[in-house]
Amino acid sequence: VDLWKKVCQGRIPRGKRWFFSTFCGISSAEFDEIQGEQLGENFPIGNLLDGTSKAYDVVALLLALHDPGDTGQGLFPFDQAHLRLNGADHYFFVQPQ
């Protein structure tokens, strides 16, 4: 629910359509039908959460919300995973096999 509020406040680099698709299992057409872009942070989003997220979604979300300048976060080795490509920062957390 806090993530929904951050999406509504523009603090997450994804939009409401992404949130509905990812966490509520609502298609793009359904999102348009309910006028999802008009819903605000006080909308009772908890009623629509359907548990469709996978275990790896949590990790992906943690990575997406990471602030590379935050040296206190030791969950992932960002310094080792960093790659700058075409002016954008990317982080690859894979192990050679």
Side-chain angles (χ1 to χ4, degrees):
V1 176
D2 285 338
L3 180 61
W4 169 249
K5 289 181 181 180
K6 289 180 182 179
V7 168
C8 291
Q9 295 166 356
R11 296 171 51 199
I12 303 293
R14 298 293 198 124
K16 294 175 184 177
R17 186 177 304 271
W18 163 81
F19 187 94
F20 270 80
S21 171
T22 303
F23 299 107
C24 303
I26 291 183
S27 71
S28 187
E30 291 171 307
F31 180 81
D32 291 339
E33 202 172 291
I34 64 169
Q35 299 178 333
E37 286 298 337
Q38 304 304 316
L39 302 176
E41 63 184 79
N42 293 324
F43 177 76
I45 195 70
N47 297 336
L48 295 179
L49 298 176
D50 74 354
T52 58
S53 60
K54 312 289 185 287
Y56 55 80
D57 288 338
V58 175
V59 174
L61 182 60
L62 285 172
L63 293 171
L65 297 177
H66 173 71
D67 175 7
D70 180 6
T71 57
Q73 188 179 74
L75 219 70
F76 301 99
F78 281 88
D79 55 336
Q80 297 170 18
H82 181 255
L83 171 69
R84 185 156 185 88
L85 183 65
N86 296 329
D89 293 316
H90 302 275
Y91 299 91
F92 294 95
F93 298 93
V94 294
Q95 297 290 330
Q97 298 202 23

